[in-house]
Amino acid sequence: MITARLLAGAVGLGLALGPAMLPESHAAQSIRVLLTRDVQQLEVHTDQTIWVTDEHNQAWSYRPVLRIKVRGHALILNGKPVVSDQLTLRAGNHDLKLWLNGNGKRTALFASDDKGALQISGLIQLVRRGKGLLLVNHVDLEEYVKGVVPAEVNPAWHPEMLKVQAVATRTYALYQHMLSSTRDYDVVAGIQDQVYRGRQGIDARVVEAVESTRGLVMTYQGAPIYAAFSSTAAGITEDAMVVWSKDLPYLKGVECPFDIESPYYQWKVSWKIGTLEKNLRQQGFAVGTISAITPLAYSRAGRVATLRIVHSSGELTIRGEDLRKAVGYAVIPSTQFAVESFGQEVIISGYGAGHAVGLCQWGAKELAELGYSFSSILGYYYPGTELRDASLTQAPPVPSAPSS
């Protein structure tokens, strides 16, 4: 049945695309990526001149280094104050290299980068918000996709899987871009949206995957879809309604018996009960000393939908995803778990990693290795969708707020 659906998806997509679906050219689309917030000091390097403009189009130039500090209502640019709430930094067609500065020391924007610079293309926008700055990278959509693919999957994986990730990444970014006109940015450069590390990790395999699918996105009724993906489903993929209260017909869940080779397929973890109590309080839950944690309801896919927490001040019902957030997403890989023991330390065992909505990355890897095309894999995990050039899409409907 699964194979039939995959083959049917491949045939259907072939008919929809025709032999010449890949466009010769695609209009450049810029994506606004929030790299980090609350920036106090920033160091920028380039091989050429750094051009800086403010919101009044006043311009300055620096070469080859620019150091920016927040000081009261002013921004200090290489020692000279500028009163501005927004600055744009660019170096023509050259990349910018970024470090955060603090206490006289250079630090990487992301912990995984150690002390290396974040190298990016496009331009940087600094936007004052509160006492710090938002650091936003305006970057060409295809260059953004190249920066996400090696951060989300291993570039050594099968070429068709890299194409799958490229199309999903592009689709998700375009969906957010079309719905974010009132925000300062379209996507966050982290697990909240998609992990983006600029030029880091880009090689010939990544470039080939992105360029060979240039401009292609998954659509539903002519609009880009909310192309959710996660590491390991370890069973049926989850309904978006369970995780995010989003009623999306292409994110209702499909069987995924393909990811058994994932290192996250099965796991066991533990944490201190005091950590959970503290973190729940910080998130606004009124909780006393916890004496029991019991799964209360399960999703159709078998994941913990809600839990009952018994504590010294009463009882609390929270979602399985709330527990992951409170303990840490890196600690509890998924909501497909069982409580093995409870005391000063809680031990749970489970399966899978991530929210399990939409594309399963390890499952897609296996399907690619079995010979399925990127288009048939995407059609399987996002049923009812169509592969289409982004220039032919319309804006998706604005998501309705979940009912209280």
Side-chain angles (χ1 to χ4, degrees):
M1 185 66 178
I2 293 173
T3 302
R5 281 201 57 225
L6 281 160
L7 292 173
V11 172
L13 285 165
L15 290 171
L17 293 173
M21 181 62 192
L22 287 175
E24 293 184 4
S25 63
H26 181 72
Q29 176 76 64
S30 180
I31 294 295
R32 302 170 301 162
V33 188
L34 177 65
L35 300 178
T36 188
R37 61 178 78 241
D38 299 323
V39 173
Q40 297 297 316
Q41 298 186 52
L42 180 70
E43 185 172 325
V44 185
H45 288 228
T46 185
D47 296 331
Q48 298 295 322
T49 301
I50 303 170
W51 293 95
V52 181
T53 55
D54 66 9
E55 62 268 43
H56 307 296
N57 290 322
Q58 187 171 354
W60 303 266
S61 62
Y62 303 87
R63 181 173 180 169
V65 180
L66 172 61
R67 294 181 177 88
I68 302 171
K69 296 181 181 180
V70 177
R71 184 176 296 168
H73 295 292
L75 299 177
I76 310 301
L77 279 58
N78 281 3
K80 296 184 179 180
V82 172
V83 179
S84 175
D85 287 332
Q86 184 171 299
L87 293 178
T88 301
L89 286 59
R90 70 188 82 212
N93 293 324
H94 296 267
D95 289 353
L96 296 170
K97 295 180 180 179
L98 311 176
W99 287 270
L100 297 177
N101 274 341
N103 299 320
K105 295 182 179 179
R106 240 186 218 175
T107 58
L109 269 78
F110 304 107
S112 60
D113 297 338
D114 193 16
K115 293 187 178 180
L118 176 68
Q119 184 173 340
I120 58 164
S121 59
L123 60 86
I124 284 295
Q125 191 171 56
L126 295 170
V127 182
R128 186 184 287 274
R129 288 290 179 267
K131 295 182 179 180
L133 301 170
L134 299 182
L135 180 58
V136 182
N137 181 199
H138 291 235
V139 60
D140 173 78
L141 173 59
E142 299 302 326
E143 295 305 308
Y144 167 75
V145 176
K146 291 173 188 174
V148 171
V149 170
E152 285 286 356
V153 296
N154 188 333
W157 282 7
H158 194 284
E160 288 299 299
M161 170 50 198
L162 299 187
K163 294 177 188 177
V164 167
Q165 186 64 57
V167 174
T169 294
R170 185 183 299 113
T171 303
Y172 183 91
L174 189 59
Y175 175 95
Q176 296 293 352
H177 173 77
M178 288 180 166
L179 295 177
S180 65
S181 60
T182 60
R183 301 203 306 261
D184 294 313
Y185 53 87
D186 301 317
V187 291
V188 177
I191 59 172
Q192 304 95 315
D193 286 308
Q194 303 183 121
V195 179
Y196 167 72
R197 293 295 181 263
R199 297 288 195 188
Q200 182 178 315
I202 298 176
D203 61 16
R205 298 167 295 188
V206 172
V207 172
E208 169 62 21
V210 176
E211 292 298 336
S212 64
T213 62
R214 174 173 282 267
L216 292 181
V217 295
M218 298 304 292
T219 64
Y220 183 78
Q221 296 182 347
I225 67 168
Y226 186 81
F229 59 84
S230 62
S231 168
T232 307
I236 302 173
T237 62
E238 192 55 86
D239 187 336
M241 179 60 78
V242 173
V243 181
W244 303 306
S245 299
K246 292 179 182 289
D247 188 12
L248 300 171
Y250 51 82
L251 292 179
K252 291 299 181 185
V254 298
E255 293 180 47
C256 183
F258 317 112
D259 55 2
I260 194 168
E261 295 301 320
S262 168
Y264 313 108
Y265 186 81
Q266 188 172 8
W267 45 264
K268 180 182 290 188
V269 298
S270 64
W271 71 87
K272 301 293 184 182
I273 193 64
T275 300
L276 176 59
E277 293 168 351
K278 176 184 174 182
N279 292 350
L280 284 173
R281 290 170 194 140
Q282 289 178 344
Q283 292 177 24
F285 293 103
V287 61
T289 301
I290 296 176
S291 58
I293 300 176
T294 309
L296 193 61
Y298 295 86
S299 70
R300 180 181 66 88
R303 296 178 181 85
V304 176
T306 57
L307 302 105
R308 177 185 290 119
I309 296 178
V310 180
H311 57 97
S312 57
S313 301
E315 292 188 2
L316 175 68
T317 299
I318 64 170
R319 300 182 315 134
E321 285 295 328
D322 292 332
L323 182 69
R324 288 189 67 209
K325 181 179 180 181
V327 177
Y329 292 111
V331 178
I332 304 180
S334 80
T335 56
Q336 192 175 182
F337 64 79
V339 179
E340 286 198 357
S341 65
F342 179 89
Q344 289 302 308
E345 187 174 70
V346 182
I347 300 176
I348 65 173
S349 59
Y351 296 86
H355 50 65
V357 178
L359 172 72
C360 169
Q361 291 167 315
W362 276 87
K365 173 182 181 290
E366 175 67 15
L367 288 171
E369 291 170 354
L370 289 172
Y372 292 98
S373 68
F374 78 93
S375 56
S376 61
I377 295 170
L378 287 162
Y380 178 76
Y381 282 107
Y382 303 120
T385 61
E386 180 184 9
L387 195 59
R388 179 178 294 195
D389 184 70
S391 64
L392 304 178
T393 61
Q394 61 188 15
V398 178
S400 57
S403 56
S404 56

